[in-house]
Amino acid sequence: MALLEIKNMNISVDAGGMEKRLVQDVSFEVSEGEILGLVGSSGSGKSLTSMAIARILSDDYKVTFEEALFMEKRLDLMSEKELCDIRGKEIAYVFQEPMTSLNPVVTIGKQAEEPLILHFGKTITKEERRKTVIDALKDAGLDDPEGLLDTYPHRLSGGQRQRVMIAMAMITKPKLLVADEITTALDVDTRNRVIDLLKHYRETYGVSIIFISHDRKLVDNLADRVITISNGKILENAGLSDDDMPSPTTEKGRTRQKRAGGLDKPVPEPVLTVKDMSFSYKDKNIFGKTEITPVLKNVNLTLFKGETLGIVGKSGSGKSTLVKVICGLQTADKGEVTIKEGYEDPQMVFQDPYSSLNPAKTIGKILKESLILGLKRKGIKPSDYTRTKSYGQAVMEMLKNVGLSSEIAFRRVRELSGGQRQRIAIATALISEPKIVILDEPVSAIDADLCDQVLELLSSLREKFGLSYIFISHDPEVINRTCDRVMVIEDGETRERKK
Amino acid sequence: MRYVGKKLIALLVTLAAISFVTFFAFTIIPGDAATNIMGMDATEEEIEALREAMGLNDNIFVRYGRWLLGVLRFDLGTSLQYSIGVSELIGGRLKATAGLAFESLLIILVLAVPLGLLSALKPNGALDNCITTLTQVGMAVPQFFLGIMLTYVLGVLLHVFRMGGYVSPGDNFGAYISFLFVPAITVAVPKLSMMTKYLRDCIVAEKRKDYVRTAKAKGNDAARVLSHHILKNALIPSLTFFAMIVADVFAGSIVCEQVFSIPGVGRLLIASISNRDFPVVSAIVLYTAALVVVTNTLADILYRAVDPRVN
């Protein structure tokens, strides 16, 4: 007997009077204790599908079913009140964004016990509630659950927050857990542990899980059965074929092959060197005494012309500080940063393109501004520049270079997709024609499909403009695919890693 | 705790700076108190003698020091115009201003939160549009006009409000409260409109955040999502805004006090400026500045207490 049976689900939005279909005739079922994998690229409609099950989509979306059966009850015919009784009790959700999915001003304890208050009310005492919360947090693999109760979310790491989210979802022992890209924002270690956790819940409590991800390999490893969604439709036969998604292994092979068959290596020419550089944060306490927190210790690195140098390290290892010193945003205590003539003014591409671009300005304006600032830093007169080409031309050319159409110039950041935003972030860095570009986690906020495209773009831009990259990431797979050499930074010290 | 200490030190430094600027500003504007007291007919010698006696001929720093010492001992000098102690004078006027301020703040507090919530319930819905239009009007209407209209409708047409009937709280506290209610509405309307609009925008922005989706998925109904999750987040930025309103209403409303003939700080300020009553003007300026700085400091400290992320 199926626990959940969805027949012909349709989701549409009203796009200026026209009805736009986002999900079409999707049908699937989940048995008791089953883990169903739902794969698809970004924008395929898999998240919408999952959120439509317990009907938690906002009113902007119109959802219709032929039938939606859950525990032999019609979800599609339920009133909002009846649905509230099912949400969080029988069907629980965990979402992709652990950093923002918790209420920032409510303690972990209060948030975790809320499903119990909502669904069991006065039938359990305060002490029982507390005990249940502590057990659930412990069950989710969190250390010191008592201490967490009065802690606010911002004190926790992404992995910890995701565990809190999972503990919170599992606290009522639901029949169905919907896990929507819950591992995407996590590093590899944490990812594996979260997967183990899901397996543990299924074995211990017999919970059915809908596991949604763009990562085919991950889903194959966890799920009993896999369905693929593409453009809002379920692909037939999807459980068997791998064609619709390039697997990471082949991609890696392809990139390597390309590089090996590429240019003959000339004698490497250093363009940026960091020598015996140390940096520490100095903070004066109230007594005027200086407290020194060393961040970087005798760091040495060299970036050669045309190469991509990877820097890996855990969060807090000093990666960002190193970058700031190289860009001149922080001054080192000791040691020096030398940049070869003609290679000055390195530019940065940031991790989160949405918040690093001004939402009020059009893309064209943003690019133009970066260009003008770049000219100013180099001491080039605007009139000298515009003699060869106008700002508008420069902006259009740059958009073309990053693979975007010129009409994007008139749009604003919020109107762009994640991939387009990341391309714009790259364009803003490149428009002032730097020779060295520092990429700070440029693909960690986007999914695998887009990640491949962006990496490809970066590699082609490097060839085209003769750039050198410093590529920062926590993801070893991405680093291995893109970098010629890798530096590991640990506790403020660097060492080169042999590939 | 360390933060509070730092804030308090910053507060004192700001106040010291303000007091000096205030004092200095009054010494460079032409005309002085001695000329004013003696009138047009006095001879140059008589005025000079009074100047000497009042200490107006001393070095500016000496005079500032003397004045500051007085301020620290809560002795703000004597009003030149009324010949009574400045503290006493302002203290009396403050009774009217404070009553007006408290009542208008109460109106703002009681109405802004529910109106903001109602407005944000369904953004761009009929109710939202209606409230938004009202707040636009509320912000745009000049205070003197609103005061006059209220007086006309409530006083002349409906006879529920006695014009010019200010009563000192010592004489009849009930009458004092009830008289100030209409002026309080006049003061509150534009600020209430701004506060409602601001709160509405904050709530609408919060509604799109991920934690709201989590709250919904847990089984909260729409009302509880709003009251238990969104509201606290939306109120945090509104706190700073409210602090500005508090400082503003306690500084006294010149227009409103004039329209309703309320003997408050605002009217005293106008009268003292035109009479070059330096001790009173400087005391009011200092009071207003201190009010702004103190409420902002309190808001900052409160902000840290309610928002765990600020650290």
Side-chain angles (χ1 to χ4, degrees):
Chain A
M1 184 67 222
L3 176 73
L4 175 79
E5 204 178 338
I6 300 287
K7 273 191 202 152
N8 291 331
M9 175 202 280
N10 284 289
I11 305 175
S12 56
V13 282
D14 179 56
M18 292 266 288
E19 195 182 274
K20 194 178 166 200
R21 282 268 176 109
L22 300 173
V23 169
Q24 259 181 49
D25 298 328
V26 163
S27 304
F28 59 93
E29 52 177 67
V30 185
S31 313
E32 271 179 47
E34 183 187 33
I35 300 185
L36 174 73
L38 199 57
V39 268
S41 55
S42 117
S44 61
K46 55 190 194 307
S47 288
L48 288 178
T49 304
S50 72
M51 282 165 69
I53 296 170
R55 308 216 337 243
I56 55 170
L57 282 171
S58 81
D59 296 341
D60 303 337
Y61 296 94
K62 212 178 116 207
V63 184
T64 56
F65 301 89
E66 189 189 314
E67 196 177 48
L69 274 176
F70 176 72
M71 294 167 75
E72 294 169 44
K73 279 176 282 189
R74 290 284 297 267
L75 280 173
D76 51 327
L77 300 178
M78 280 186 190
S79 69
E80 179 67 16
K81 199 182 162 299
E82 289 170 304
L83 283 166
C84 280
D85 290 339
I86 287 200
R87 291 178 196 143
K89 181 160 186 273
E90 312 290 358
I91 305 179
Y93 282 83
V94 181
F95 302 102
Q96 174 174 5
E97 301 82 3
M99 304 310 272
T100 49
S101 288
L102 289 164
N103 190 334
V105 299
V106 179
T107 57
I108 300 295
K110 281 248 158 58
Q111 296 195 54
E113 70 170 6
E114 199 179 10
L116 298 175
I117 296 175
L118 288 168
H119 301 294
F120 299 104
K122 296 234 156 57
T123 59
I124 53 172
T125 64
K126 212 174 152 195
E127 284 70 41
E128 283 170 331
R129 242 180 8 233
R130 191 182 139 89
K131 203 183 155 294
T132 315
V133 170
I134 291 175
D135 288 346
L137 293 174
K138 211 185 280 168
D139 209 6
L142 285 154
D143 299 329
D144 185 24
E146 280 99 351
L148 279 177
L149 296 181
D150 294 319
T151 307
Y152 288 94
H154 71 276
R155 297 234 174 249
L156 307 185
S157 70
Q160 284 175 310
R161 288 188 214 189
Q162 199 59 297
R163 279 167 194 268
V164 170
M165 285 292 292
I166 296 170
M168 197 160 79
M170 288 301 298
I171 204 162
T172 53
K173 305 281 177 314
K175 288 269 185 293
L176 175 66
L177 179 71
V178 183
D180 185 0
E181 297 270 12
I182 62 171
T183 55
T184 307
L186 305 177
D187 61 51
V188 183
D189 263 15
T190 324
R191 187 177 301 173
N192 293 336
R193 268 179 278 155
V194 166
I195 296 295
D196 290 342
L197 189 60
L198 291 182
K199 288 181 184 161
H200 155 78
Y201 282 128
R202 196 250 300 251
E203 270 148 41
T204 320
Y205 308 112
V207 60
S208 307
I209 300 173
I210 299 182
F211 185 82
I212 300 157
S213 178
H214 60 267
D215 188 340
R216 188 60 198 250
K217 226 164 63 179
L218 193 68
V219 176
D220 281 344
N221 166 20
L222 176 71
D224 305 318
R225 201 155 55 82
V226 182
I227 54 176
T228 304
I229 282 197
S230 174
N231 290 325
K233 286 183 197 151
I234 289 188
L235 295 184
E236 298 304 324
N237 238 352
L240 307 166
S241 146
D242 243 6
D243 295 345
D244 50 307
M245 276 213 195
S247 80
T249 26
T250 53
E251 178 68 14
K252 196 152 131 192
R254 218 167 4 129
T255 322
R256 279 220 186 111
Q257 217 170 18
K258 205 194 271 172
R259 191 165 295 134
L263 302 160
D264 291 330
K265 270 217 173 117
V267 185
E269 179 188 352
V271 291
L272 182 145
T273 42
V274 175
K275 225 175 138 189
D276 293 330
M277 194 256 292
S278 298
F279 179 85
S280 51
Y281 280 109
K282 288 160 223 70
D283 217 3
K284 276 214 173 110
N285 63 18
I286 30 168
F287 309 110
K289 238 173 95 184
T290 311
E291 287 165 1
I292 295 175
T293 327
V295 183
L296 298 171
K297 297 165 210 153
N298 292 323
V299 168
N300 284 296
L301 69 86
T302 313
L303 176 69
F304 294 105
K305 185 181 171 183
E307 77 161 348
T308 302
L309 173 66
I311 298 181
V312 278
K314 294 209 182 82
S315 64
S317 58
K319 285 180 303 204
S320 308
T321 312
L322 175 61
V323 169
K324 281 184 193 160
V325 175
I326 291 174
C327 288
L329 298 171
Q330 299 270 18
T331 319
D333 303 339
K334 156 171 121 49
E336 57 186 53
V337 179
T338 337
I339 298 178
K340 192 173 177 268
E341 205 176 316
Y343 287 80
E344 297 93 348
D345 196 25
Q347 289 297 301
M348 285 197 68
V349 175
F350 294 98
Q351 171 174 10
D352 179 358
Y354 193 51
S355 52
S356 55
L357 296 170
N358 187 339
K361 291 186 173 164
T362 60
I363 298 304
K365 277 238 175 72
I366 293 176
L367 288 174
K368 187 177 152 190
E369 201 175 73
S370 305
L371 172 59
I372 293 175
L373 287 173
L375 294 178
K376 217 177 195 176
R377 281 194 303 268
K378 287 187 210 151
I380 300 174
K381 270 198 207 135
S383 56
D384 287 346
Y385 183 84
T386 45
R387 205 166 296 152
T388 48
K389 61 182 161 191
S390 73
Y391 291 143
Q393 276 171 320
V395 168
M396 295 304 166
E397 263 173 39
M398 192 33 79
L399 284 174
K400 212 174 130 206
N401 280 329
V402 295
L404 294 172
S405 70
S406 49
E407 54 101 24
I408 297 273
F410 305 103
R411 298 218 216 147
R412 289 189 170 76
V413 183
R414 61 164 188 278
E415 298 165 61
L416 305 183
S417 72
Q420 287 172 323
R421 282 174 195 157
Q422 197 53 279
R423 282 165 196 267
I424 294 299
I426 294 167
T428 8
L430 291 186
I431 198 159
S432 57
E433 297 170 16
K435 287 287 168 197
I436 298 174
V437 180
I438 298 165
L439 305 155
D440 188 359
E441 303 266 8
V443 290
S444 59
I446 51 186
D447 70 35
D449 265 18
L450 289 173
C451 170
D452 290 344
Q453 291 172 15
V454 169
L455 293 181
E456 203 125 298
L457 172 72
L458 285 170
S459 128
S460 72
L461 289 170
R462 187 180 76 166
E463 310 284 312
K464 187 166 180 183
F465 297 108
L467 304 171
S468 308
Y469 288 151
I470 293 179
F471 193 111
I472 297 166
S473 179
H474 64 260
D475 188 343
E477 202 177 310
V478 170
I479 287 279
N480 285 340
R481 268 164 66 184
T482 45
C483 300
D484 304 299
R485 282 185 311 129
V486 181
M487 305 284 298
V488 181
I489 181 160
E490 214 163 7
D491 299 326
E493 288 174 64
T494 48
R495 58 190 161 78
E496 183 147 352
R497 198 180 73 191
K498 299 282 173 287
K499 274 185 83 168
Chain B
M1 232 30 242
R2 202 172 125 182
Y3 173 78
V4 174
K6 263 187 189 167
K7 271 279 160 197
L8 289 179
I9 292 168
L11 174 79
L12 290 177
V13 173
T14 318
L15 285 179
I18 291 168
S19 74
F20 182 74
V21 172
T22 311
F23 187 88
F24 188 69
F26 281 104
T27 59
I28 55 171
I29 52 176
D32 70 11
T35 331
N36 242 11
I37 293 173
M38 300 301 282
M40 300 294 277
D41 303 329
T43 63
E44 197 58 37
E45 287 77 33
E46 285 173 321
I47 292 175
E48 193 52 38
L50 184 65
R51 272 199 193 124
E52 196 58 48
M54 288 173 76
L56 294 179
N57 285 340
D58 290 337
N59 170 308
I60 180 171
F61 293 104
V62 174
R63 280 184 286 146
Y64 173 67
R66 196 160 51 213
W67 180 72
L68 192 63
L69 275 179
V71 171
L72 291 179
R73 287 196 306 255
F74 296 104
D75 172 16
L76 296 159
T78 309
S79 161
L80 305 176
Q81 189 189 355
Y82 299 97
S83 302
I84 54 169
V86 172
S87 325
E88 198 188 329
L89 183 66
I90 294 181
R93 297 303 186 95
L94 213 49
K95 281 179 196 157
T97 296
L100 188 57
F102 272 121
E103 285 192 40
S104 28
L105 285 181
L106 208 63
I107 295 172
I108 296 170
L109 272 185
V110 169
L111 293 179
V113 176
L115 281 177
L117 276 175
L118 281 177
S119 193
L121 224 46
K122 218 171 158 51
N124 301 321
L127 191 62
D128 182 30
N129 288 338
C130 187
I131 294 175
T132 303
T133 312
L134 281 179
T135 56
Q136 299 288 6
V137 173
M139 279 185 259
V141 65
Q143 225 176 42
F144 77 90
F145 181 73
L146 184 64
I148 291 169
M149 288 319 284
L150 282 175
T151 313
Y152 180 70
V153 175
L154 299 175
V156 180
L157 295 182
L158 299 175
H159 300 289
V160 289
F161 170 67
R162 200 158 62 84
M163 288 165 284
Y166 176 76
V167 187
S168 160
D171 297 341
N172 183 344
F173 193 72
Y176 160 79
I177 295 290
S178 64
F179 171 77
L180 285 179
F181 190 63
V182 175
I185 295 175
T186 316
V187 173
V189 162
K191 299 184 168 67
L192 170 63
S193 304
M194 283 189 266
M195 189 76 195
T196 303
K197 180 98 180 94
Y198 189 72
L199 198 59
R200 178 231 175 242
D201 292 348
C202 285
I203 296 173
V204 171
E206 288 296 323
K207 268 186 156 180
R208 293 195 207 103
K209 300 218 169 137
D210 292 334
Y211 72 83
V212 174
R213 183 180 59 187
T214 308
K216 199 172 171 188
K218 279 195 218 173
N220 283 291
D221 56 34
R224 210 186 126 102
V225 170
L226 210 55
S227 61
H228 280 68
H229 290 273
I230 295 177
L231 197 58
K232 194 178 172 195
N233 280 287
L235 281 176
I236 290 172
S238 312
L239 196 65
T240 314
F241 195 69
F242 189 67
M244 295 194 307
I245 292 180
V246 171
D248 200 20
V249 293
F250 270 98
S253 160
I254 292 169
V255 175
C256 185
E257 288 175 9
Q258 203 73 31
V259 171
F260 290 98
S261 307
I262 299 165
V265 177
R267 273 179 92 199
L268 180 63
L269 179 65
I270 295 287
S272 308
I273 290 173
S274 45
N275 290 307
R276 298 207 185 287
D277 195 345
F278 167 68
V280 179
V281 177
S282 59
I284 293 179
V285 171
L286 195 62
Y287 158 75
T288 312
L291 203 60
V292 173
V293 182
V294 170
T295 43
N296 277 333
T297 306
L298 282 179
D300 282 352
I301 293 171
L302 210 58
Y303 205 106
R304 274 172 78 94
V306 292
D307 190 342
R309 286 162 298 180
V310 185
N311 212 330

